[in-house]
Amino acid sequence: HWLDKIPHLYLANDNCPNQSLWCGTAEAKEVLMKILKNEQIYYQELPFQSGFHTPFLADKVGLAKESVKHIEMIEDSIPVWSATTLEQYPTDKEKYQQLIIDHMIKPVYFSGLIQKLFKEENVRVFIQIGVGGLVTFVDDILKDENYSAISTGISNRSGLEQLRRVLALLFIEGKTVDYTFLGVKLQYQ
């Protein structure tokens, strides 16, 4: 495994079977790129340096700890899951604040979370709120399964047009959908 072979190389994001993000020192990057090239594995070097989701951000945790002190906890009926722990966010304020810090320095496991939600929590509909790669990740992770994935942010449609598509998908999937806020009357024949 590369993490065992290359010092100062860290997995930042395990997005899906065909995409992961790695972060490392310049030396680690060179070793990894040589291995990938030798094994004929496609890779792309990204044009930025952040260190997010790796121990490289550990020295910034103090700033984040100060910021999360001001978070207020509001109880809700919708569970929120962490792609770091693969569990629901804790309801305890201190544990919640620590998880926010952990997100900065620990890997993101989208692949594991999507699989867990699908297999253990029986989730069959995935909705990407805003921009991001969730739909592509879900398509790669669950390619042989029965699921639906849709994005709320499509550049060639207005927000309202895409919202209608999301609501239609939910309706098709058998979910109860309240359209009244759109000012739409539905008629069934």
Side-chain angles (χ1 to χ4, degrees):
H1 193 269
W2 301 329
L3 293 175
D4 299 331
K5 295 178 186 176
I6 306 171
H8 309 293
L9 176 69
Y10 302 98
L11 174 66
N13 293 66
D14 176 13
N15 291 336
C16 57
N18 288 301
Q19 185 186 86
S20 59
L21 300 177
W22 298 77
C23 185
T25 61
E27 296 81 17
K29 177 185 76 168
E30 293 305 319
V31 172
L32 177 61
M33 290 189 331
K34 185 181 281 187
I35 291 171
L36 294 173
K37 194 175 283 188
N38 288 340
E39 293 185 21
Q40 297 182 344
I41 298 173
Y42 173 78
Y43 68 91
Q44 180 179 2
E45 183 180 354
L46 299 177
F48 61 85
Q49 297 175 359
S50 73
F52 277 108
H53 312 302
T54 73
F56 288 120
L57 278 189
D59 63 338
K60 306 291 187 234
V61 167
L63 297 171
K65 281 184 179 179
E66 189 59 37
S67 297
V68 299
K69 285 181 183 177
H70 306 289
I71 291 176
E72 290 185 37
M73 302 292 291
I74 300 172
E75 208 170 309
D76 200 344
S77 61
I78 300 171
V80 178
W81 288 77
S82 165
T84 297
T85 64
L86 307 185
E87 300 294 333
Q88 289 184 25
Y89 269 81
T91 55
D92 175 79
K93 186 173 181 173
E94 287 180 18
K95 289 179 181 176
Y96 180 88
Q97 291 170 336
Q98 184 58 51
L99 182 55
I100 300 250
I101 303 300
D102 289 348
H103 281 307
M104 293 175 57
I105 58 175
K106 292 184 179 178
V108 173
Y109 298 105
F110 281 121
S111 187
L113 182 58
I114 297 303
Q115 289 174 30
K116 180 173 185 161
L117 291 174
F118 184 82
K119 292 176 183 174
E120 296 176 26
E121 300 298 321
N122 204 30
V123 172
R124 296 297 182 262
V125 177
F126 296 86
I127 300 173
Q128 168 72 49
I129 305 298
V131 297
L134 178 71
V135 172
T136 305
F137 299 163
V138 171
D139 287 344
D140 191 20
I141 296 162
L142 300 177
K143 62 183 164 219
D144 297 325
E145 303 292 348
N146 184 17
Y147 69 93
S148 295
I150 192 166
S151 176
T152 60
I154 304 292
S155 62
N156 63 344
R157 291 190 194 106
S158 73
L160 186 55
E161 287 173 319
Q162 190 59 19
L163 177 59
R164 288 180 181 140
R165 288 175 182 268
V166 170
L167 294 174
L169 169 69
L170 291 171
F171 179 77
I172 290 167
E173 291 293 335
K175 306 298 179 195
T176 302
V177 178
D178 181 1
Y179 293 92
T180 56
F181 74 96
L182 290 173
V184 174
K185 274 190 174 180
L186 295 178
Q187 293 181 316
Y188 299 98
Q189 297 182 3

